[in-house]
Amino acid sequence: MTKISTKTLIYAATITALGLSAYTVAPLIDPKNDPVYKNLDTSVKPGDNFFEYANGGWIKRNPIPAAYSSWGIGNEVGEEIRERLRKINEDAEKANAPKGSASQKIGDFYYSGLDTVTIEKEGIAPIQSELAMIDGIKNVQDILHVSAYLNTYGTRGIIGAGVGQDAKNSTKMMVHLRQSGLGLANRDYYFRTDARTTRIREDYRTKHLPAMLKLAGWNEQMATQGAESVFKIEKYLAENNRKLEDMRDPYRNYNKMSVAQLNQLTPEISWPVLFKDLELKAVDSVIVGQPEYYKAVNTALKTFGIDDWKAYLRWKVISTNASYLSKAIEDENFRFSGTVLSGRKEQLPRWKRVLDTENGIMGEILGQLFVKEYFPVQAKARYTQMVENVRIAFREHIEKLDWMSPQTKQKALTKLNAVHPKVGYPDHWKDFSTLVIDRKSYAGNVIRARHWAYLNSVNKLGKPVDHQEWNMTPQTYNANYSPSNNEITLPAAQFIIPGVKDADVDDAVVYGYAAASTIGHEITHGFDDQGRQFDAKGNLKAWWTPQDSAKFTQRAQLLVNQFNNQVVLDSLHINGKATLGENIADLGGIVIGLTAFEKTQQYKEGKPINGLTPLQRFFLGYALGWLGHTRNEALANQILTDVHSPGFLRVNVPFTDVPEFYTAFQIKPGDKMWVDPDKRVKIW
């Protein structure tokens, strides 16, 4: 007979009283180390606010640090990774490694970023040549020439040029032109009249812009006048930027034209000359995302004066490089972007800021060292197999759909079978041998690295698509789906649960945390409102019957309505149309991940751990993926600029559409999260 302690009996009685599950003798993970049990706030009913119930205990114990606009599981993973990368950098800094080696580049970059004495001594010297070019502008051709040159060094102005796959011929790399030109995060900041947005806009126009232009070398009068010039140009361009939700229509944002047609669209711009300045070779046709924006640029070049454009370009240079220059410049940049926009009270320690910059610039060099130590072969194997388990589950969902015709189902299955997963880390790493890094200048290193990255991108023009290349580093806490490649990228860091070894996490939690919120989510992106319009080979092509397409749209609209009704702050609602793709992927990931989990031994055995059934642990594992909280300033910015809903809604809203959620937590009519069965959304 198993002896049960008094402490265990009390614990079991508490669990039962909460209505979670009846107590049975079962394997226990130490509650202090259980990645879901330890976060619970049992003062909240699961059926009233599941996010708070699942994560509220952690939130109460973990206020947002002053240097952050939000704090959650991604930050905790990031802190673990930063500490590991810090050691790698400090070792490289002392190594006296051969010139050109990975270790030399890492060590010298880190050194230059921490060398504040040299940074202060340099002032704006690292950008002085760019500022001199701007001062020398005499006509429209000069404006375009300087804009293009700056673009190649990472300063994005009026021309949003880049190289990427042709959406209708995914084997071909093409020049893309997209809307650009703004200093605030998107067009809504220039026009919304609510108090919060108005306050941000006025700070930007009357405080931030003049302060930065003064720091870039102008006197107070020139800076004040220059700020007005910058704002009036940006506001005009904003009037001709598409809204966030309108950027999600792949057909409307695909406008292929010859260079001759492009010249007709914008007669003030000689595109053959501009493409040469942009270091783009042999361009015969381009894909213009938003033609009306470039017509507006053409008008703006004639409308605004040369001095207006000089102020605008000066602002672009100083703002792009602010984080790598003197303390005064960096502090003002943080005051606006960090505090006014995001609510952060102080900056991160300098070593973290430098490390984050290095990660963005040459993260794959760090990634090679990171995965050797921190992502074992067993973990890669576990998640590679999990991708296939999720694929099998999704296949079953497609086959059982009652609203899709056999004809479309067959093509959907073909696309699903063709999804290519990239798990953990690349099989082939990027070659950084031509990137020069030294200890002389931090800003100089960043500027050279940006130019290297730009050339690395534009040199793909006319070459075969490299399906081995990753667009994320292994140490990135994120994942994505590429419609043009029909592939999912799942970096090693995305599977980390802070403070817990991967081998010690039970399948219920892992299937919620990884299979549902990440793997299933990313695969579902291939079948969301945007992704579904691309075929198995990644081409933008109508492969649905019109009837099935209409049925999908009807179901998706129900999800739009669900999220439109969510009020986050003040008068700020979720934009259900702009966030639709992510919301479809969340709901799809949950139901597909759940089907995959139902095939595991843990689900079939049904034994509780810490009083939580496997099904309950699955939902808690999913909620763990969105654990965290956010300052109001950052939430407001997210609502206006991001296609992702806030984390708490990514848990609470889709769960109300999942029947098994109601069963798992005994949710009944009258509970705040109850939705009548006939009003629940089901797509995949």
Side-chain angles (χ1 to χ4, degrees):
M1 179 178 177
T2 305
K3 185 176 180 181
I4 304 175
S5 70
T6 303
K7 182 178 178 182
T8 303
L9 288 170
I10 293 170
Y11 160 74
T14 303
I15 292 293
T16 304
L18 290 169
L20 300 181
S21 66
Y23 176 76
T24 55
V25 178
L28 290 179
I29 299 172
D30 179 350
K32 292 179 182 177
N33 295 326
D34 185 335
V36 293
Y37 177 80
K38 67 182 181 180
N39 296 328
L40 296 178
D41 180 353
T42 54
S43 69
V44 179
K45 284 180 62 179
D48 284 349
N49 186 330
F50 189 80
F51 179 88
E52 288 292 334
Y53 160 75
N55 296 324
W58 182 92
I59 290 171
K60 288 176 181 176
R61 296 189 302 272
N62 293 273
I64 302 172
Y68 293 83
S69 58
S70 62
W71 189 253
I73 191 165
N75 301 101
E76 288 200 331
V77 172
E79 291 302 298
E80 280 195 11
I81 291 169
R82 276 201 190 107
E83 288 296 340
R84 296 169 182 179
L85 297 179
R86 183 184 196 179
K87 183 178 185 308
I88 290 170
N89 272 268
E90 288 176 348
D91 289 347
E93 189 183 1
K94 300 168 191 168
N96 196 26
K99 188 175 180 181
S101 67
S103 189
Q104 176 264 315
K105 289 174 182 176
I106 291 170
D108 283 5
F109 188 92
Y110 193 63
Y111 177 93
S112 72
L114 296 180
D115 183 9
T116 55
V117 172
T118 298
I119 291 168
E120 288 303 310
K121 194 181 297 182
E122 283 190 313
I124 61 171
I127 59 170
Q128 198 64 61
S129 62
E130 286 87 348
L131 297 179
M133 284 182 70
I134 294 167
D135 288 340
I137 289 174
K138 294 183 175 60
N139 52 44
V140 167
Q141 287 68 39
D142 289 346
I143 294 168
L144 291 167
H145 172 71
V146 173
S147 295
Y149 174 83
L150 295 175
N151 198 317
T152 70
Y153 283 87
T155 298
R156 181 61 61 87
I158 52 174
I159 307 298
V163 171
Q165 285 165 273
D166 184 337
K168 293 187 177 180
N169 180 3
S170 63
T171 63
K172 189 172 182 182
M173 301 298 285
M174 293 281 296
V175 173
H176 290 257
L177 294 174
R178 299 181 179 89
Q179 66 186 31
S180 186
L182 310 186
L184 290 167
N186 76 7
R187 69 179 308 283
D188 286 356
Y189 277 102
Y190 294 87
F191 306 115
R192 284 183 66 99
T193 57
D194 62 278
R196 187 184 301 276
T197 310
T198 299
R199 186 171 62 251
I200 290 169
R201 180 171 58 247
E202 285 309 297
D203 186 297
Y204 178 72
R205 185 177 69 84
T206 64
K207 294 181 183 177
H208 184 53
L209 286 173
M212 291 293 278
L213 288 170
K214 274 185 72 175
L215 290 165
W218 278 359
N219 64 37
E220 189 154 346
Q221 182 181 354
M222 292 173 69
T224 301
Q225 291 174 348
E228 289 301 316
S229 295
V230 171
F231 190 80
K232 68 183 180 183
I233 290 174
E234 288 186 354
K235 187 176 180 183
Y236 176 75
L237 296 176
E239 289 170 357
N240 295 279
N241 264 235
R242 290 183 186 173
K243 293 183 177 181
L244 188 63
E245 59 267 33
D246 295 332
M247 296 295 287
R248 293 188 44 73
D249 183 339
Y251 282 98
R252 191 175 165 220
N253 290 283
Y254 181 96
N255 302 280
K256 196 170 186 178
M257 56 184 73
S258 67
V259 173
Q261 290 172 315
L262 186 57
N263 278 331
Q264 278 187 317
L265 181 75
T266 56
E268 292 295 317
I269 304 173
S270 172
W271 286 98
V273 173
L274 193 61
F275 287 142
K276 186 177 179 182
D277 289 340
L278 288 164
E279 302 191 54
L280 291 163
K281 300 169 185 173
V283 181
D284 54 9
S285 59
V286 296
I287 297 169
V288 184
Q290 302 76 36
E292 71 277 15
Y293 169 77
Y294 282 93
K295 287 180 72 174
V297 169
N298 188 78
T299 302
L301 289 168
K302 296 182 292 183
T303 303
F304 300 106
I306 295 300
D307 287 342
D308 293 327
W309 285 109
K310 286 181 178 181
Y312 175 84
L313 291 172
R314 177 171 285 260
W315 154 242
K316 290 299 177 186
V317 171
I318 190 71
S319 61
T320 298
N321 295 287
S323 297
Y324 322 113
L325 298 169
S326 68
K327 185 176 185 301
I329 296 171
E330 190 179 21
D331 284 351
E332 171 55 26
N333 184 60
F334 175 79
R335 184 198 68 79
F336 181 75
S337 61
T339 302
V340 175
L341 271 181
S342 303
R344 291 158 59 195
K345 311 301 181 190
E346 63 185 40
Q347 295 200 63
L348 289 170
R350 185 160 193 92
W351 72 267
K352 290 185 180 181
R353 306 201 304 271
V354 173
L355 195 55
D356 289 350
T357 301
E358 180 186 56
N359 225 342
I361 282 171
M362 45 187 181
E364 276 201 20
I365 296 179
L366 292 169
Q368 294 175 54
L369 303 171
F370 170 79
V371 296
K372 275 183 188 175
E373 293 189 54
Y374 303 114
F375 195 65
V377 173
Q378 296 91 327
K380 186 176 174 84
R382 181 182 197 179
Y383 295 107
T384 300
Q385 182 58 53
M386 194 174 288
V387 170
E388 296 313 311
N389 295 346
V390 171
R391 196 196 304 260
I392 290 166
F394 203 165
R395 195 174 293 137
E396 293 175 10
H397 276 251
I398 291 172
E399 289 167 346
K400 292 176 182 176
L401 288 177
D402 58 6
W403 57 269
M404 182 179 278
S405 68
Q407 179 183 343
T408 304
K409 278 185 184 181
Q410 189 54 52
K411 291 179 180 177
L413 290 169
T414 298
K415 179 171 183 177
L416 176 63
N417 293 337
V419 172
H420 173 62
K422 294 177 175 177
V423 181
Y425 50 85
D427 294 322
H428 303 282
W429 300 92
K430 284 179 183 170
D431 178 6
F432 288 85
S433 59
T434 59
L435 174 60
V436 175
I437 299 293
D438 57 34
R439 298 194 174 197
K440 295 176 185 176
S441 169
Y442 182 42
N445 281 334
V446 174
I447 291 167
R448 280 196 304 276
R450 284 179 173 160
H451 188 55
W452 179 92
Y454 178 83
L455 294 179
N456 183 61
S457 175
V458 299
N459 285 339
K460 296 172 185 174
L461 186 63
K463 295 178 182 175
V465 175
D466 181 4
H467 291 287
Q468 300 297 319
E469 184 178 18
W470 276 48
N471 56 18
M472 290 181 163
T473 67
Q475 63 273 26
T476 300
Y477 187 77
N478 206 341
N480 68 20
Y481 170 78
S482 164
S484 291
N485 288 323
N486 193 25
E487 71 181 16
I488 56 173
T489 302
L490 309 166
Q494 181 62 25
F495 301 120
I496 295 173
I497 296 178
V500 186
K501 289 182 180 178
D502 184 76
D504 293 339
V505 186
D506 59 301
D507 274 345
V509 171
V510 169
Y511 270 79
Y513 182 72
S517 77
T518 301
I519 299 170
H521 174 98
E522 298 305 339
I523 293 178
T524 305
H525 269 313
F527 303 87
D528 69 16
D529 61 312
Q530 273 191 314
R532 75 177 188 86
Q533 300 185 71
F534 293 78
D535 66 14
K537 293 183 178 178
N539 294 315
L540 187 58
K541 183 179 179 182
W543 55 271
W544 294 56
T545 67
Q547 296 82 1
D548 290 337
S549 190
K551 289 175 184 176
F552 175 93
T553 301
Q554 287 171 355
R555 288 168 180 263
Q557 185 59 45
L558 296 176
L559 204 55
V560 172
N561 297 343
Q562 264 191 345
F563 277 87
N564 278 342
N565 289 330
Q566 305 298 321
V567 181
V568 181
L569 285 171
D570 312 327
S571 60
L572 294 177
H573 287 243
I574 294 295
N575 184 333
K577 190 174 179 183
T579 58
L580 179 60
E582 296 300 329
N583 298 334
I584 290 173
D586 283 340
L587 179 56
I590 292 163
V591 297
I592 293 156
L594 178 55
T595 298
F597 172 57
E598 287 170 349
K599 301 179 189 301
T600 66
Q601 183 180 351
Q602 183 181 5
Y603 177 83
K604 291 173 182 175
E605 289 181 351
K607 294 178 181 177
I609 297 174
N610 286 329
L612 299 163
T613 68
L615 188 57
Q616 290 168 338
R617 292 180 69 80
F618 168 84
F619 286 108
L620 289 167
Y622 177 88
L624 176 66
W626 304 111
L627 177 147
H629 48 149
T630 305
R631 298 189 193 279
N632 286 348
E633 295 90 342
L635 266 180
N637 182 56
Q638 181 179 355
I639 292 163
L640 293 183
T641 64
D642 201 336
V643 295
H644 300 81
S645 302
F648 66 94
L649 294 177
R650 299 183 71 173
V651 173
N652 287 349
V653 179
F655 276 8
T656 65
D657 294 321
V658 181
E660 292 86 349
F661 171 68
Y662 292 81
T663 304
F665 293 95
Q666 295 88 51
I667 295 169
K668 300 175 177 63
D671 290 336
K672 291 178 182 177
M673 289 184 66
W674 175 269
V675 172
D676 291 337
D678 62 339
K679 294 180 180 176
R680 296 173 194 168
V681 180
K682 181 184 177 185
I683 300 177
W684 294 107

